[in-house]
Amino acid sequence: MSYQKSSFRHPNLAVNDLGLTHRDYEGSLSTLCSGCGHDSIGASIVQACHELSLPPHKIAKLSGIGCSSKAPTYFLGKAHGFNSVHGRMPSIVTGANMANRDLTYIGMSGDGDTAAIGMGQFAHVVRRRLNMLYVVANNGVYGLTKGQTSATSDRGSKSKGGEENLLEGIDLPTLAIQLGATFVARSFSGDKNQLVPLLKAALSHRGFAFIDVLSPCVTFNNHNGSTKSYDYVRDHIQTASVTDYVPVKEEITTACPPGVCRDICLHDGSILRLNSVAENYDPQDRAEAIAAIERHKAKGEILTGLLYVDPAAEDLHEVMQTSHRPLNTLSESCLCPGNDRLQMINDSFR
Amino acid sequence: MHSIKSVNEFVIRFANVNGTGSASANLLFAKSLFRMGIPVSPRNVFPSNIQGMPTWYEVRVSEKGYLGRRGGGADIVVAMNAQSLAQDMRNVLPGGYFLYDSTKPLDPALVRSDVNILGMPISEICLREYTDPRQRQLFKNVIYVGALAALLDIEFEVIKGLIADQFKGKEKLIIPNIYALELGHQYASTNFKCPLDVRVKRSDQVGDKIMLDGNTATGLGAIYGGASVVGWYPITPSTSVVEKFMQYAKRLRIDPATGQANYAAVQMEDELAAIGCVIGAAWNGARAFTATSGPGVSLMTEFLGLAYFAEVPVVLVNVQRAGPSTGMPTRTQQPDITACAYASHGDTKHVLLFPSSPKECFDMTADAFDLAERLQTPVIVMSDLELGMNDHLSEPMQWDDERRYDRGKVLNEEQLDEIERFGRYLDVDGDGICYRTLPGTHAEKGSFFTRGTSRDRYAVYSEQGDVYVDNVDRLTHKFKTAATLVPPAKITRQGKGQKIGLIYYGTTAAAISETVDTLTEKGIKVDSLRVRAFPFGQEVADFIDSHDQVFVIEQNRDGQLRSLLINELEINPRDLKAVLHYDGLPITARFISGRIEELLLDAGNKKSTRNVASR
Ligand SMILES: Cc1ncc(C[n+]2csc(CCOP(=O)(O)OP(=O)(O)O)c2C)c(N)n1
Ligand code: SF4
Ligand SMILES: [Mg+2]
């Protein structure tokens, strides 16, 4: 069941450029467990979309199956949603995006949905450089089916029943970078300050933007011994860089001192400002990004923040040179060549 | 020796090595008869290997217009594959002709005294005439076509015209090809008694018909039907549907001003993703399709259930091949009727269309988009390898320029403004079809969650029993509406009051006129009904009711359409006799009429023994 929220609007709520408040970006009341990381991700998405002044109905939110895939019901209620089948959101969003390049596409998935059943589709949507934001709410466990280990569960992490995971966990950001994603970040559902600017930058990025968000499952994977619990993640997090998102319309007032911060200009003219970059981290160097993730992992740390970005890469529509007019708006005059043409074609078969 | 005598009524079989360029020469042969106004039906019989394996090309020539496979041996065999000589010799009918490359003498053990053997040193001629090894190989094929022109009395001007058409823009190639034709022609005229007793004669039986394969027509149907998104994954025998779509789209769907493509064809990573891409695009308001064959259909089933339950218009072309599993990937069958009619878990049913000619491939594919959007459900076009990959004589394709796409019940911004409360699954019109909205239409209204889970009329998730039943019963009602919208069955009657009826569909159609004639000659009169769609219309039930004996003719082992008729129309299984052909070759009239005679005899015997027993 989902519940409608009251439409009462507080008079002092901040409005964005579209005259919309935060409430205009919310969804129905969540039915997830209270404290579930997925709801915090939803709240951050609401904030990011509101602050970016994206028209809510021009967003499409798509997901597979899982608690994480249910989460889109609880944000952006004015946007169309598609809760598809387990692990197959990437193909649905590919078709949707081909049909209408003008919407903003947010794919929401889980670690099971992406790294197990959906691994094939995930790999290929990355490789296709579809213009979208792909968020994995990563809790290292199958929440919806009640607590089985998932493919992103770290080696050595213990299940709620005390069993140790003996297999290697899949690192999704590493994979995404290798497969050609042009924006890759990792964050934590409990750290809005980091997550919201990353979401804003990812939504402004043209091409495939991937964010792996550690999102603890309070019911099945938040115990001692789990490497995806709130406590463990908080204690082991390391930041590649602190990201600030500066929208196009805002002027940058402070200069960026070299060695301390770094500005990256996105396709739409907005600026990503990276502060306190760790170890002279260069987020435009693919090999270095992967090496840094590995280095931190070896030390038992989780590297977060913007890991890799290529702001100039082409997306799938550009590669395919599809019409700038959304294909779903084309009518007979563009689509149907007419009978005269057909008679010429008939003649070629005589 | 007795020689077969026949004008415009024979079968010629070409035995070649795959990948040696014989295909275009063989087509040249078939097409020259077609241009002489003689009905022909050419067929490839090929293995799934790409190069080096034997392949056969069989052309049935029939003034009477019998264009199904004839079956049995060939009147003429052109044996150009040293490896299959023995088999090819066996294939010649007594009194028939065997044309072979005599550069290497024929093994005396192979010689048959009841066959006219025509040896022609083709390799030797090529060795003498050409230095380039590639040309030596390629022109062999053209040379035997030249010889056949003399042997069968094919108008030389017609072949020359075809060559000129084929090499339009590459004029340099015309003269050498015609030279090779003449080499063959000359050799045959001087060394054999030309023409043979089996030969051709100009006719007027072709009219304005065209000759093309079903997959090309299907691809064109998708272009004309307005498909703008394609998700696909290659699989024989469906691949050329999308390849042809893309080939024509590159010409017909590029905006002349901007050079941008008015379509997007994405090669996906598998069939799951291919149908997923189509569902996503259709959900977002584009006309979208994919094409596949049996193994792909198996992979697509979870998604087909989603599209059925979430009510997303999807067009799927299934070019069937022999299953199960990988089965016989280069052989034809109609083996996916059950798999497609009920694809996916839970109570599901899908709309199926059964084309039987390239013209129908074109029409039904274009119509499938209207039907899918009108009904908001998957529509599956059930072609097969025989139809899809072989050339057929077909009525020309037509398009009515006044025709507008039926985009179905989609609410726009103004319509949403007028509605108090939008309910995605409200049956406003009472036909089981509800109104949908597309993402991005309205700032405040019309958004909803599309899902494969149960939901109420307002698209809100629900696991309440009555809500679920309300929804799935509406889907049943919608399927009844579908039965009134799909193309009706085609019925042919032999006068009033016939007691025997034949039911068939798809490529079996090619064998039916010959079947009916054969049976009539034996005093058996029959009516026939060609099923063109599922769900079945009332006319199908009435036809079965009004005949004492009904035969359901199919190209699968289990009589899948028969089961579907029994299941959906509540027919007593005893009232439908199965006539089943499933060795992977196209069904023949000989087989059908023979089997029907057997079954009739059987039924007659049973009746008389029953009478004896009861006495
Ligand atoms: C084909 C198929 N197989 C299995 C399932 C059952 N199933 C539903 S959700 C899920 C795992 C979800 O895990 P994850 O993606 O990590 O999401 P979470 O619930 O943890 O957020 C499984 C196995 C299904 N719905 N469909
Ligand atoms: S089971 Fe875990 S993942 Fe699912 S809603 Fe509860 S806390 Fe979240
Ligand atoms: Mg999970």
Side-chain angles (χ1 to χ4, degrees), chain A residues 30-40 67 137-144 146-147 160 188-190 214-224 226 228-231 234:
Chain A
S30 176
T31 59
L32 301 177
C33 307
S34 86
C36 175
H38 304 350
D39 273 335
S40 315
C67 297
N138 189 350
N139 53 15
V141 76
Y142 287 4
L144 194 68
K146 301 195 184 294
K160 206 176 174 185
F188 173 39
S189 63
L214 297 166
S215 178
C217 168
V218 289
T219 307
F220 298 111
N221 205 12
N222 199 32
H223 45 272
N224 271 340
S226 160
K228 297 268 193 299
S229 67
Y230 276 111
D231 288 346
R234 264 196 204 102

Short mmCIF file of all heavy atoms in Angstrom, two decimals, chain A residues 30-40 67 137-144 146-147 160 188-190 214-224 226 228-231 234:
data_model
loop_
_atom_site.label_atom_id
_atom_site.label_comp_id
_atom_site.label_asym_id
_atom_site.label_seq_id
_atom_site.Cartn_x
_atom_site.Cartn_y
_atom_site.Cartn_z
N SER A 30 6.55 6.64 2.72
CA SER A 30 7.33 5.42 2.56
C SER A 30 6.77 4.27 3.37
O SER A 30 6.26 4.44 4.47
CB SER A 30 8.77 5.68 2.98
OG SER A 30 9.50 4.48 2.91
N THR A 31 6.89 3.08 2.80
CA THR A 31 6.53 1.87 3.55
C THR A 31 7.78 1.05 3.85
O THR A 31 7.69 -0.10 4.25
CB THR A 31 5.55 1.00 2.74
OG1 THR A 31 6.17 0.65 1.50
CG2 THR A 31 4.25 1.73 2.47
N LEU A 32 8.95 1.64 3.60
CA LEU A 32 10.19 0.93 3.93
C LEU A 32 10.38 0.94 5.46
O LEU A 32 9.74 1.72 6.17
CB LEU A 32 11.39 1.59 3.24
CG LEU A 32 11.31 1.67 1.70
CD1 LEU A 32 12.52 2.41 1.13
CD2 LEU A 32 11.21 0.28 1.07
N CYS A 33 11.26 0.09 5.96
CA CYS A 33 11.51 0.07 7.41
C CYS A 33 12.02 1.45 7.83
O CYS A 33 12.83 2.05 7.11
CB CYS A 33 12.58 -0.94 7.77
SG CYS A 33 12.29 -2.59 7.14
N SER A 34 11.59 1.88 9.00
CA SER A 34 12.06 3.21 9.36
C SER A 34 13.55 3.14 9.69
O SER A 34 14.03 2.21 10.33
CB SER A 34 11.22 3.80 10.49
OG SER A 34 11.73 3.39 11.72
N GLY A 35 14.29 4.08 9.14
CA GLY A 35 15.74 4.05 9.28
C GLY A 35 16.44 3.43 8.09
O GLY A 35 17.67 3.45 7.99
N CYS A 36 15.69 2.90 7.16
CA CYS A 36 16.28 2.31 5.95
C CYS A 36 17.03 3.39 5.17
O CYS A 36 16.50 4.48 4.93
CB CYS A 36 15.19 1.72 5.07
SG CYS A 36 15.81 1.10 3.48
N GLY A 37 18.26 3.07 4.78
CA GLY A 37 19.08 4.02 4.04
C GLY A 37 18.41 4.50 2.76
O GLY A 37 18.60 5.64 2.33
N HIS A 38 17.62 3.63 2.14
CA HIS A 38 17.01 3.97 0.85
C HIS A 38 16.15 5.24 0.94
O HIS A 38 16.09 6.01 -0.02
CB HIS A 38 16.16 2.82 0.32
CG HIS A 38 16.87 1.50 0.17
ND1 HIS A 38 18.22 1.35 0.31
CD2 HIS A 38 16.39 0.25 -0.11
CE1 HIS A 38 18.56 0.08 0.11
NE2 HIS A 38 17.46 -0.61 -0.14
N ASP A 39 15.48 5.41 2.10
CA ASP A 39 14.64 6.60 2.24
C ASP A 39 15.48 7.87 2.29
O ASP A 39 15.06 8.93 1.80
CB ASP A 39 13.76 6.49 3.49
CG ASP A 39 12.45 5.76 3.19
OD1 ASP A 39 12.02 5.77 2.01
OD2 ASP A 39 11.90 5.16 4.12
N SER A 40 16.68 7.77 2.88
CA SER A 40 17.55 8.95 2.91
C SER A 40 18.02 9.31 1.51
O SER A 40 18.16 10.48 1.16
CB SER A 40 18.78 8.71 3.78
OG SER A 40 18.41 8.09 4.98
N CYS A 67 13.68 -3.65 -2.35
CA CYS A 67 13.27 -2.51 -1.52
C CYS A 67 13.73 -1.22 -2.19
O CYS A 67 13.01 -0.23 -2.28
CB CYS A 67 13.90 -2.60 -0.13
SG CYS A 67 13.36 -4.05 0.79
N ALA A 137 21.35 1.65 -4.55
CA ALA A 137 21.25 1.73 -3.10
C ALA A 137 21.85 0.44 -2.57
O ALA A 137 21.22 -0.61 -2.57
CB ALA A 137 19.79 1.87 -2.70
N ASN A 138 23.11 0.54 -2.17
CA ASN A 138 23.93 -0.65 -1.91
C ASN A 138 23.94 -1.00 -0.43
O ASN A 138 24.59 -0.32 0.37
CB ASN A 138 25.34 -0.35 -2.43
CG ASN A 138 26.24 -1.57 -2.43
OD1 ASN A 138 25.89 -2.62 -1.86
ND2 ASN A 138 27.40 -1.43 -3.04
N ASN A 139 23.21 -2.05 -0.06
CA ASN A 139 23.21 -2.47 1.35
C ASN A 139 23.88 -3.82 1.55
O ASN A 139 23.85 -4.40 2.64
CB ASN A 139 21.78 -2.48 1.92
CG ASN A 139 20.84 -3.29 1.05
OD1 ASN A 139 21.28 -4.07 0.20
ND2 ASN A 139 19.55 -3.11 1.25
N GLY A 140 24.46 -4.37 0.48
CA GLY A 140 25.20 -5.63 0.62
C GLY A 140 24.32 -6.81 0.99
O GLY A 140 24.82 -7.82 1.48
N VAL A 141 23.05 -6.68 0.74
CA VAL A 141 22.13 -7.74 1.16
C VAL A 141 20.87 -7.67 0.31
O VAL A 141 20.60 -6.65 -0.31
CB VAL A 141 21.81 -7.55 2.67
CG1 VAL A 141 20.82 -6.41 2.89
CG2 VAL A 141 21.30 -8.83 3.32
N TYR A 142 20.15 -8.80 0.24
CA TYR A 142 18.84 -8.76 -0.41
C TYR A 142 17.82 -8.40 0.65
O TYR A 142 17.45 -9.22 1.47
CB TYR A 142 18.47 -10.14 -0.98
CG TYR A 142 19.23 -10.56 -2.22
CD1 TYR A 142 20.27 -9.79 -2.75
CD2 TYR A 142 18.89 -11.73 -2.88
CE1 TYR A 142 20.94 -10.20 -3.89
CE2 TYR A 142 19.56 -12.15 -4.02
CZ TYR A 142 20.60 -11.38 -4.52
OH TYR A 142 21.26 -11.78 -5.65
N GLY A 143 17.38 -7.15 0.63
CA GLY A 143 16.42 -6.72 1.64
C GLY A 143 15.05 -7.35 1.44
O GLY A 143 14.52 -8.00 2.33
N LEU A 144 14.53 -7.20 0.25
CA LEU A 144 13.14 -7.59 0.01
C LEU A 144 12.89 -9.08 0.25
O LEU A 144 11.83 -9.48 0.71
CB LEU A 144 12.72 -7.21 -1.42
CG LEU A 144 11.21 -7.25 -1.68
CD1 LEU A 144 10.48 -6.17 -0.91
CD2 LEU A 144 10.92 -7.08 -3.17
N LYS A 146 14.52 -10.84 2.36
CA LYS A 146 14.80 -11.06 3.77
C LYS A 146 16.19 -11.60 4.11
O LYS A 146 16.33 -12.63 4.78
CB LYS A 146 13.72 -11.95 4.40
CG LYS A 146 12.32 -11.37 4.27
CD LYS A 146 11.34 -12.07 5.18
CE LYS A 146 9.93 -11.56 4.98
NZ LYS A 146 9.75 -10.16 5.36
N GLY A 147 17.19 -10.91 3.60
CA GLY A 147 18.50 -11.04 4.22
C GLY A 147 19.54 -11.96 3.63
O GLY A 147 20.54 -12.25 4.27
N LYS A 160 23.65 -11.63 9.37
CA LYS A 160 22.97 -11.44 10.64
C LYS A 160 23.02 -12.73 11.48
O LYS A 160 23.15 -12.70 12.69
CB LYS A 160 21.52 -11.04 10.40
CG LYS A 160 20.93 -10.24 11.54
CD LYS A 160 19.53 -9.78 11.21
CE LYS A 160 18.92 -9.11 12.42
NZ LYS A 160 17.53 -8.75 12.19
N PHE A 188 27.31 7.92 0.65
CA PHE A 188 26.72 7.22 1.80
C PHE A 188 25.37 7.86 2.06
O PHE A 188 25.26 9.10 2.09
CB PHE A 188 27.69 7.40 2.99
CG PHE A 188 27.19 6.91 4.31
CD1 PHE A 188 26.45 5.74 4.43
CD2 PHE A 188 27.49 7.62 5.47
CE1 PHE A 188 26.02 5.30 5.65
CE2 PHE A 188 27.06 7.18 6.71
CZ PHE A 188 26.31 6.01 6.80
N SER A 189 24.36 7.04 2.22
CA SER A 189 23.01 7.58 2.39
C SER A 189 22.94 8.49 3.62
O SER A 189 22.12 9.40 3.69
CB SER A 189 21.99 6.45 2.51
OG SER A 189 22.25 5.68 3.68
N GLY A 190 23.83 8.23 4.59
CA GLY A 190 23.82 9.02 5.82
C GLY A 190 24.57 10.34 5.71
O GLY A 190 24.68 11.08 6.69
N LEU A 214 26.16 3.74 -0.47
CA LEU A 214 26.07 2.78 0.64
C LEU A 214 24.83 3.14 1.45
O LEU A 214 24.67 4.28 1.87
CB LEU A 214 27.34 2.85 1.49
CG LEU A 214 28.57 2.45 0.68
CD1 LEU A 214 29.84 2.84 1.40
CD2 LEU A 214 28.55 0.97 0.37
N SER A 215 23.96 2.16 1.63
CA SER A 215 22.63 2.46 2.12
C SER A 215 22.17 1.36 3.08
O SER A 215 21.49 0.42 2.68
CB SER A 215 21.68 2.56 0.92
OG SER A 215 20.37 2.79 1.34
N PRO A 216 22.59 1.45 4.33
CA PRO A 216 22.40 0.33 5.25
C PRO A 216 20.96 -0.16 5.37
O PRO A 216 20.01 0.62 5.39
CB PRO A 216 22.90 0.88 6.58
CG PRO A 216 23.91 1.91 6.18
CD PRO A 216 23.35 2.54 4.94
N CYS A 217 20.85 -1.48 5.44
CA CYS A 217 19.57 -2.15 5.67
C CYS A 217 19.47 -2.37 7.18
O CYS A 217 20.18 -3.20 7.73
CB CYS A 217 19.54 -3.47 4.93
SG CYS A 217 18.16 -4.55 5.40
N VAL A 218 18.60 -1.60 7.83
CA VAL A 218 18.55 -1.68 9.30
C VAL A 218 18.00 -3.01 9.76
O VAL A 218 18.27 -3.46 10.87
CB VAL A 218 17.70 -0.52 9.90
CG1 VAL A 218 18.41 0.80 9.77
CG2 VAL A 218 16.31 -0.46 9.28
N THR A 219 17.27 -3.68 8.93
CA THR A 219 16.64 -4.92 9.35
C THR A 219 17.52 -6.15 9.17
O THR A 219 17.54 -7.04 10.00
CB THR A 219 15.30 -5.10 8.59
OG1 THR A 219 14.54 -3.91 8.75
CG2 THR A 219 14.51 -6.28 9.11
N PHE A 220 18.30 -6.19 8.09
CA PHE A 220 19.04 -7.42 7.82
C PHE A 220 20.57 -7.25 7.75
O PHE A 220 21.28 -8.24 7.62
CB PHE A 220 18.57 -8.06 6.51
CG PHE A 220 17.13 -8.47 6.54
CD1 PHE A 220 16.18 -7.80 5.79
CD2 PHE A 220 16.72 -9.52 7.36
CE1 PHE A 220 14.85 -8.17 5.82
CE2 PHE A 220 15.38 -9.90 7.40
CZ PHE A 220 14.44 -9.22 6.63
N ASN A 221 21.07 -6.03 7.77
CA ASN A 221 22.53 -5.93 7.60
C ASN A 221 23.10 -4.73 8.34
O ASN A 221 23.94 -4.01 7.80
CB ASN A 221 22.86 -5.86 6.09
CG ASN A 221 24.27 -6.36 5.81
OD1 ASN A 221 24.92 -6.94 6.66
ND2 ASN A 221 24.75 -6.09 4.59
N ASN A 222 22.70 -4.55 9.60
CA ASN A 222 23.18 -3.39 10.34
C ASN A 222 23.81 -3.81 11.67
O ASN A 222 23.89 -3.04 12.60
CB ASN A 222 22.00 -2.43 10.59
CG ASN A 222 22.47 -1.02 10.92
OD1 ASN A 222 23.51 -0.58 10.42
ND2 ASN A 222 21.74 -0.32 11.77
N HIS A 223 24.25 -5.06 11.70
CA HIS A 223 24.78 -5.63 12.94
C HIS A 223 26.29 -5.51 12.99
O HIS A 223 26.94 -5.19 11.99
CB HIS A 223 24.38 -7.10 13.02
CG HIS A 223 24.61 -7.81 11.72
ND1 HIS A 223 23.67 -7.85 10.72
CD2 HIS A 223 25.71 -8.42 11.22
CE1 HIS A 223 24.16 -8.49 9.67
NE2 HIS A 223 25.40 -8.82 9.95
N ASN A 224 26.85 -5.86 14.14
CA ASN A 224 28.30 -5.94 14.26
C ASN A 224 28.83 -7.02 13.34
O ASN A 224 28.25 -8.09 13.28
CB ASN A 224 28.68 -6.32 15.71
CG ASN A 224 28.84 -5.08 16.55
OD1 ASN A 224 29.02 -3.98 16.03
ND2 ASN A 224 28.73 -5.25 17.87
N SER A 226 29.10 -6.68 10.12
CA SER A 226 28.72 -6.35 8.74
C SER A 226 29.54 -5.14 8.29
O SER A 226 29.72 -4.18 9.05
CB SER A 226 27.23 -6.00 8.68
OG SER A 226 26.99 -5.24 7.50
N LYS A 228 28.57 -3.24 5.92
CA LYS A 228 27.67 -2.27 5.33
C LYS A 228 26.72 -1.67 6.38
O LYS A 228 25.66 -1.18 6.06
CB LYS A 228 26.84 -2.92 4.20
CG LYS A 228 27.65 -3.43 3.02
CD LYS A 228 27.80 -2.41 1.91
CE LYS A 228 28.31 -2.95 0.60
NZ LYS A 228 29.66 -3.56 0.61
N SER A 229 27.11 -1.75 7.64
CA SER A 229 26.28 -1.16 8.71
C SER A 229 26.57 0.34 8.80
O SER A 229 27.61 0.81 8.32
CB SER A 229 26.59 -1.82 10.05
OG SER A 229 27.92 -1.49 10.43
N TYR A 230 25.66 1.06 9.44
CA TYR A 230 25.89 2.50 9.62
C TYR A 230 27.23 2.75 10.32
O TYR A 230 28.04 3.57 9.88
CB TYR A 230 24.76 3.12 10.46
CG TYR A 230 23.54 3.48 9.63
CD1 TYR A 230 22.35 2.77 9.77
CD2 TYR A 230 23.57 4.54 8.73
CE1 TYR A 230 21.22 3.10 9.01
CE2 TYR A 230 22.45 4.87 7.98
CZ TYR A 230 21.29 4.16 8.13
OH TYR A 230 20.19 4.49 7.38
N ASP A 231 27.46 2.02 11.40
CA ASP A 231 28.67 2.28 12.18
C ASP A 231 29.94 1.98 11.38
O ASP A 231 30.87 2.78 11.35
CB ASP A 231 28.67 1.43 13.46
CG ASP A 231 27.64 1.96 14.45
OD1 ASP A 231 27.15 3.10 14.23
OD2 ASP A 231 27.30 1.23 15.41
N ARG A 234 30.50 4.59 8.58
CA ARG A 234 30.95 5.88 9.14
C ARG A 234 32.41 5.84 9.55
O ARG A 234 33.16 6.77 9.30
CB ARG A 234 30.08 6.26 10.35
CG ARG A 234 28.96 7.18 9.95
CD ARG A 234 28.33 7.87 11.15
NE ARG A 234 26.99 8.24 10.75
CZ ARG A 234 25.89 7.59 11.09
NH1 ARG A 234 25.96 6.55 11.92
NH2 ARG A 234 24.72 7.97 10.64
#
